[in-house]
Amino acid sequence: MQTSQSAPLFIRRVAVCGAGVMGAQIAAHCVNAGVPVVLFDLAKDDGQGGKNGIVQRAIAQLKKLNPAPLGVNALADLITPANYDEDLALLADCDVVIEAIAERLDWKRDLYHKLAPALNPRAIVASNTSGLSITALSEALPETLRHRFCGVHFFNPPRYMPLVELIPTAATEPALLDHLETFLVSQLGKGVVRAKDTPNFIGNRIGVFGILSVFHHTQALGLPYELVDDLTGTRLGRAKSGTYRTADVVGLDTLAHVIDTMKNQLPDDPFRAHFGVPPVLAALIEKGALGQKTKAGFFKKEGKQILRLDPQAGEYVPSGEKADDEVKDILKERDPAKRLQALHDSTHPQAQFVWAVLRDTFHYSAVHLGDIADSARELDQAMKWGFGHAQGPFEIWQAAGWRQVAEWIQADIAAGKTLSDAPLPAWATSGAVWDKQAVHTPEGSYSPAANAYVPRSALPVYQRQIGAPRLVGEGPALAPNVVHEDDAVMCWTLPAPHPQDVLLVSFKTKMHTLSPDVVRGVVRAVDLAEQGYKALVVAQLDDPFSAGADLKAMLPAFMSGGVKAVEPIQKEMQDMVMRLRYAQVPVVAAVAGLALGGGCELSVHCARRVAHLESYIGLVEVGIGLVPGAGGITYSARRAAEIQAQSAPDAPLLAYVKEFVLAVATARVSKSALEARQIGFLRDSDPIVMNRHELLYVAVREAANLAEQGYRAPLAARFPVAGRDAIATLKAQLVNMRVGGYISDYDFHIAEQVATAICGGDVDPGSLVDEAWMLRLEREAFLALLANPKTQERIAGLLQTGKPVRN
């Protein structure tokens, strides 16, 4: 990749101007990624003689938000607060400056006039506007700066929503865009879509139109809001919250603003008759019911009951309606062509509603593709990354049969059933797309402007995304070279030009649980790696990493032979993690998503872990009445001793052991990879990657690098344990929790077992033990609890309901 002389070679520091909801959370995500950030806002007394009050309050609020914008709350202290009166000189050290103030063109222009003289001459300047004209905004900058200006629209919340729309003006320097895209993709972990400078760009243009379509058909059919959310949520491959609950979360005033932008700035749109804030939405805003932030919108929570608005009565009533079984069955159909055919043909109102909503989005997307995006790829990716859709509108259309769906849309247009009589564009009903019945092909995605299929971006950063998902029609994401495969695991290597001397093993069980066959498969993978490869990587082809032991697979053994029949299975899991720890080649765990119970135990015994930021790691066995039984107790004791030896050899071991006992006894799961590092499930040497699709690339190279450095397995050594005195101290604290009602009697019993095992049992403080001693203790505690009827009750409850049982 080439960068211009005016683009910074490295993005060392970022400035965010505007400490509102979006600005503060963009700053938070920068520090999640280890990028220094300065957060600006207006000067206002902070009560301590300074003028950073607005920013200080915004930073403090970051620690209270849920979902958490920070990987760990301590990162908030790394955001530098600043104000426009005193601190503009700080901009000289900032390579990217992101404006994120309110959506007022005049306010933004005034701010640009203030910032311009202080900017680093090599800085990239960008606006986080959700829909204002980037070209109009650029006119407030001196001509010498306009080639360095663009739009960079993050979707909310910035930590969790992948989409960032990158919007150039005619003057924006192309190399600068490449540089910024590389930073956003790799350093911040984003999915970048380049959009044209049109109102609301791509994501909000298509997404908000889809919401308006849902509003229209909801009212026309008189459907209750919770039913619509059931139809437009996971059943349709979209976010669980559906349409109306999502609107509440986003904020009804924010939604209304985006709708107004479409109405005011798109006077010639053939669908404009439907661009307007629906009366029910306007009425809620008028009453101050703005959604989740005001605790009332389309839904309101009273106690544990969720109420929904009855628009006719203007009151909140009990909710609970779900899709009818007939429509559920249609939406369960796996064949896309059959599913859409059934929706189209059904006379059931709910099915007709779903068909109409999909049809309207197909129609609108086709009419405006050439106006808002370079190709169908950008539009589909925007809806997937920005709105949580499993597939974009063109993907659904293509998978169901392009010609057939186009004919249905045309018939509905002719019959006056659609929201506009605008015809489908010629490209959708003739030419290459009609002949191939596809907008996405292995060669690329269709571009109306080019009248051709254009390939994916060739930026080098995308070469790091091994196995990244492909759109419908593009072909498989990855073609692994299979070395060994059975019903439980696949051992494989990457295709050329990637390293061929690193073996990978992936699990084939649901949620990648550790069944007995998977455990044996992992051992087989270690054997194969030692026989002919440099290293081994444990990596899944999709999330999660592993939800833990496969309880259902162990159930037959328990039912037929009781606890004694389970002991060999548990011992085999312990032997497996020890095999990983002492393998003669480095083993790296590529962790993303859940790594719970046995999944956590497997990962912590590898030589190294490479984790995606969104990794949720924990030893959760106490939730089913057990202690970790596959090396988790042993790891906790050994790691506590290692941390003490490294950081404070003269400090009491109990202080370090206590943290692990609490983590295990409370089934604590990290809320990020950064928090997992704090707990002790990741180490400082374990890389954390921001982009999920770079995980495999980094893990394979980490494994190869360890091998190149002459990796040797650790030598088995004894380590000190806290012993009986620490057990007594921890038990006293647990008694207080029980008396206070924080834990039940059986919770106390389990936690006592955890403390006893991690402290090494009834031995003197500081006694040296080996792993065999610790594995025996955890095995005995695990099996004793398994024999307890209360634990059996918890396990049965989880298997039957999927929810933990408290007893």
Side-chain angles (χ1 to χ4, degrees):
M1 179 184 70
Q2 294 183 341
T3 57
S4 75
Q5 292 183 347
S6 62
L9 184 60
F10 301 106
I11 294 177
R12 301 162 298 174
R13 187 180 300 270
V14 171
V16 179
C17 298
V21 173
M22 282 300 293
Q25 293 199 52
I26 292 170
H29 195 58
C30 287
V31 291
N32 284 339
V35 178
V37 63
V38 183
L39 181 59
F40 282 86
D41 212 302
L42 298 170
K44 189 171 183 178
D45 185 10
D46 60 10
Q48 298 178 355
K51 293 185 177 181
N52 291 326
I54 292 174
V55 177
Q56 295 285 19
R57 284 190 290 275
I59 293 172
Q61 183 64 21
L62 289 171
K63 300 178 183 180
K64 302 174 184 177
L65 294 178
N66 187 27
L70 293 161
V72 289
N73 280 344
L75 289 173
D77 298 332
L78 302 182
I79 299 173
T80 301
N83 66 80
Y84 303 124
D85 288 0
E86 302 172 324
D87 301 315
L88 289 181
L90 294 175
L91 291 173
D93 292 327
C94 296
D95 299 312
V96 174
V97 178
I98 300 172
E99 169 271 305
I101 68 172
E103 292 289 88
R104 284 276 300 269
L105 190 63
D106 53 341
W107 291 0
K108 290 178 185 287
R109 285 175 165 172
D110 287 346
L111 178 61
Y112 295 174
H113 287 305
K114 185 179 294 187
L115 299 179
L119 292 172
N120 176 338
R122 291 165 58 83
I124 300 169
V125 186
S127 174
N128 185 57
T129 178
S130 60
L132 297 178
S133 168
I134 302 301
T135 300
L137 287 171
S138 72
E139 292 168 357
L141 291 167
E143 276 196 46
T144 54
L145 297 179
R146 292 179 190 174
H147 69 289
R148 302 206 308 275
F149 182 76
C150 64
V152 57
H153 179 214
F154 288 79
F155 269 57
N156 190 26
R159 171 181 164 185
Y160 301 97
M161 295 306 294
L163 180 61
V164 171
E165 292 174 312
L166 198 56
I167 311 102
T169 70
T172 307
E173 191 173 327
L176 178 145
L177 286 173
D178 291 348
H179 191 55
L180 182 55
E181 181 170 351
T182 298
F183 170 75
L184 291 166
V185 169
S186 194
Q187 297 299 304
L188 297 190
K190 295 291 131 189
V192 172
V193 163
R194 297 204 187 186
K196 296 185 179 181
D197 188 11
T198 56
N200 289 348
F201 313 128
I202 301 174
N204 279 339
R205 181 76 174 272
I206 301 301
V208 172
F209 172 81
I211 291 171
L212 290 172
S213 170
V214 169
F215 282 6
H216 172 82
H217 295 295
T218 299
Q219 181 179 5
L221 292 169
L223 302 178
Y225 300 129
E226 75 274 21
L227 170 60
V228 171
D229 280 354
D230 189 42
L231 290 169
T232 60
T234 53
R235 297 187 195 282
L236 206 58
R238 299 182 178 182
K240 183 179 179 180
S241 52
T243 302
Y244 291 98
R245 177 62 185 146
T246 298
D248 275 354
V249 171
V250 169
L252 303 189
D253 52 341
T254 301
L255 176 60
H257 170 77
V258 179
I259 294 171
D260 281 338
T261 299
M262 293 178 70
K263 182 177 182 179
N264 296 334
Q265 297 189 30
L266 295 168
D268 300 323
D269 193 302
F271 295 78
R272 190 174 183 275
H274 295 277
F275 294 172
V277 178
V280 64
L281 181 57
L284 285 168
I285 295 171
E286 179 69 23
K287 291 192 299 184
L290 306 180
Q292 182 171 277
K293 58 189 172 186
T294 61
K295 303 188 186 304
F298 288 105
F299 297 96
K300 181 171 73 171
K301 188 174 183 181
E302 288 188 357
K304 293 185 177 181
Q305 188 177 23
I306 303 295
L307 305 178
R308 58 97 173 159
L309 179 69
D310 181 337
Q312 280 70 42
E315 298 176 349
Y316 288 93
V317 300
S319 64
E321 288 199 44
K322 300 287 186 181
D324 287 352
D325 288 343
E326 176 184 335
V327 181
K328 289 180 185 176
D329 290 341
I330 293 174
L331 294 175
K332 286 179 184 175
E333 171 58 55
R334 290 180 174 273
D335 185 316
K338 291 180 180 177
R339 182 169 61 250
L340 214 60
Q341 174 89 51
L343 289 170
H344 175 267
D345 294 348
S346 175
T347 58
H348 195 293
Q350 294 176 18
Q352 281 296 291
F353 167 83
V354 176
W355 159 248
V357 167
L358 291 172
R359 175 206 62 211
D360 290 348
T361 301
F362 297 160
H363 187 192
Y364 193 77
S365 298
V367 168
H368 288 295
L369 174 60
D371 305 332
I372 65 177
D374 289 331
S375 78
R377 178 184 300 103
E378 285 74 30
L379 192 148
D380 275 346
Q381 292 287 33
M383 296 309 297
K384 294 168 75 168
W385 288 335
F387 284 81
H389 293 188
Q391 292 185 323
F394 289 131
E395 285 188 285
I396 299 171
W397 184 347
Q398 178 170 325
W402 187 271
R403 290 185 188 177
Q404 177 63 80
V405 175
E407 289 169 358
W408 288 337
I409 297 170
Q410 289 174 310
D412 280 4
I413 294 171
K417 295 180 180 180
T418 53
L419 300 187
S420 168
D421 61 1
L424 288 175
W427 67 260
T429 57
S430 61
V433 171
W434 191 257
D435 293 339
K436 293 177 179 287
Q437 295 205 65
V439 290
H440 303 301
T441 69
E443 294 75 36
S445 296
Y446 185 76
S447 167
N451 189 26
Y453 292 90
V454 296
R456 285 175 170 258
S457 171
L459 280 178
V461 70
Y462 292 112
Q463 303 308 308
R464 296 167 59 92
Q465 296 191 1
I466 303 172
R470 291 292 184 258
L471 298 169
V472 166
E474 282 192 303
L478 187 66
N481 300 317
V482 178
V483 175
H484 163 78
E485 186 171 15
D486 55 37
D487 292 340
V489 302
M490 178 174 70
C491 299
W492 53 288
T493 62
L494 294 173
H498 302 293
Q500 307 286 295
D501 51 6
V502 175
L503 186 68
L504 298 99
V505 60
S506 304
F507 309 161
K508 298 168 73 174
T509 46
K510 184 177 181 180
M511 298 289 285
H512 305 134
T513 53
L514 293 165
S515 68
D517 286 341
V518 167
V519 169
R520 295 177 198 117
V522 171
V523 173
R524 172 78 179 273
V526 176
D527 292 341
L528 289 171
E530 289 180 341
Q531 291 167 13
Y533 297 88
K534 280 185 178 179
L536 174 66
V537 173
V538 184
Q540 314 302 353
L541 297 177
D542 54 13
D543 292 349
F545 178 72
S546 174
D550 187 346
L551 294 176
K552 288 185 178 179
M554 298 180 187
L555 193 59
F558 179 75
M559 295 299 291
S560 63
V563 172
K564 286 187 176 181
V566 174
E567 183 173 8
I569 299 174
Q570 188 209 356
K571 179 66 165 56
E572 197 170 20
M573 291 186 70
Q574 291 182 329
D575 292 343
M576 179 265 290
V577 299
M578 288 296 105
R579 186 76 176 90
L580 292 171
R581 176 168 168 77
Y582 294 108
Q584 295 307 299
V585 295
V587 183
V588 172
V591 180
L594 298 176
L596 304 179
C600 174
E601 291 170 301
L602 185 155
S603 69
V604 297
H605 283 89
C606 292
R608 192 68 53 88
R609 288 136 298 282
V610 175
H612 180 226
L613 176 70
E614 302 306 332
S615 294
Y616 313 113
I617 306 173
L619 296 170
V620 296
E621 287 84 352
V622 297
I624 54 169
L626 295 169
V627 300
I633 293 288
T634 302
Y635 169 82
S636 299
R638 185 181 64 239
R639 187 64 187 138
E642 290 171 350
I643 296 172
Q644 184 227 24
Q646 293 163 3
S647 57
D650 297 328
L653 181 55
L654 173 61
Y656 300 92
V657 168
K658 179 181 176 180
E659 295 303 315
F660 282 98
V661 169
L662 287 175
V664 176
T666 59
R668 183 181 176 188
V669 176
S670 71
K671 297 181 177 65
S672 70
L674 294 168
E675 189 177 37
R677 183 178 279 168
Q678 279 190 342
I679 297 169
F681 297 139
L682 295 179
R683 304 191 184 203
D684 290 344
S685 56
D686 292 333
I688 294 175
V689 300
M690 298 299 291
N691 195 307
R692 169 65 180 87
H693 304 313
E694 293 186 2
L695 183 67
L696 198 55
Y697 176 92
V698 176
V700 168
R701 277 152 184 77
E702 186 73 17
N705 288 339
L706 285 172
E708 291 292 336
Q709 293 164 17
Y711 172 83
R712 297 289 300 180
L715 297 174
R718 296 192 300 167
F719 51 89
V721 290
R724 65 174 70 89
D725 292 357
I727 295 170
T729 302
L730 292 167
K731 185 175 178 180
Q733 295 175 1
L734 293 169
V735 168
N736 291 335
M737 293 177 68
R738 181 177 62 180
V739 172
Y742 296 104
I743 59 175
S744 69
D745 287 345
Y746 197 57
D747 290 331
F748 172 84
H749 175 64
I750 300 166
E752 185 182 21
Q753 296 293 312
V754 170
T756 300
I758 291 182
C759 290
D762 186 15
V763 297
D764 293 335
S767 294
L768 296 177
V769 302
D770 58 17
E771 288 167 333
W773 174 274
M774 293 302 304
L775 290 168
R776 179 182 60 79
L777 286 179
E778 78 173 35
R779 193 161 61 247
E780 289 173 352
F782 180 93
L783 295 170
L785 287 169
L786 183 58
N788 193 303
K790 286 187 175 291
T791 287
Q792 295 169 18
E793 181 182 336
R794 290 191 178 193
I795 293 173
L798 180 69
L799 292 175
Q800 290 169 10
T801 67
K803 298 178 181 179
V805 173
R806 292 299 302 277
N807 55 10

